[in-house]
Amino acid sequence: MTRSTPSRSPAAPALSALLAVPALLALTASAGCSTATEPAPRPSAVRNTAPAPAPSTSGTPTDAAWVQLMTPMNEKAVALLTLAADRATEPRVRAFATRLRSDQEAELGRLRPLLTRMGLPRTDVHAGHAMPGMVTGSDLAAAKAAEGAAFDRLFLTRIRGHLRHSAQVSRSEITAGARADAKRLAAALVTAREAALTELEALPGATRALG
């Protein structure tokens, strides 16, 4: 009897990396540490040993997946925040959108150079994908068509999704990433997201919009 091999369904590259790399890192670490006892090298062998190659500065798949996801997430969020800063009905919602837009733009000022340092393209590798928490073209079109309280509700719902999911992905980078600069930025981002979510939930209309 021939046994069939179960098929695998492809996953989005960035999310696959963020979820799978902790196991990969553990495997790599275990492969690099031998439990066998080896004899100490003779002095002449030490003198003739070539220096180890410098570690790669590109980071791990987790680092790459995180920065390639966070950059377009922030860029799309900035577009929605720009609309809200001008069109939200509630003054406190407009002020919140204005501050958050500045914060997201400042984060982009750190994410984009990180892409360059890692040798990654500036293009949106997730274009056309329905990524959780990503503000889509349809979201922006709906926001442009909405007015008054309906606009405020749409904005609060979509921006909360962005804040929550980008924080979740950034926590994965803190846990499984390897680059110190990426992990520091991810930690700063999580702190900023938590503060923004707390402020958002206290805004006028948030309880009704967010359920």
Side-chain angles (χ1 to χ4, degrees), residues 24-160:
L24 175 62
L25 292 177
L27 179 62
T28 303
S30 63
C33 300
S34 173
T35 57
T37 302
E38 299 179 358
R42 285 186 285 179
S44 59
V46 174
R47 286 194 299 271
N48 294 331
T49 299
S56 171
T57 60
S58 61
T60 68
T62 296
D63 299 316
W66 175 75
V67 71
Q68 286 185 303
L69 180 59
M70 282 309 313
T71 304
M73 284 189 79
N74 269 31
E75 289 170 344
K76 300 296 193 303
V78 165
L80 180 58
L81 289 162
T82 299
L83 287 174
D86 181 59
R87 298 183 55 194
T89 302
E90 288 284 348
R92 284 176 57 189
V93 174
R94 288 200 305 273
F96 169 77
T98 300
R99 290 193 302 274
L100 187 57
R101 179 181 59 186
S102 296
D103 293 343
Q104 301 273 292
E105 288 173 338
E107 289 173 1
L108 284 170
R110 298 176 67 184
L111 287 163
R112 287 166 177 157
L114 181 57
L115 280 171
T116 300
R117 292 197 300 273
M118 294 176 69
L120 298 170
R122 292 281 292 269
T123 55
D124 180 2
V125 298
H126 300 290
H129 299 163
M131 307 301 292
M134 183 85 76
V135 175
T136 66
S138 297
D139 293 332
L140 292 173
K144 290 175 182 177
E147 296 180 356
F151 175 90
D152 288 9
R153 285 194 298 271
L154 187 152
F155 164 69
L156 292 171
T157 300
R158 295 296 184 272
I159 207 65
R160 183 179 70 162

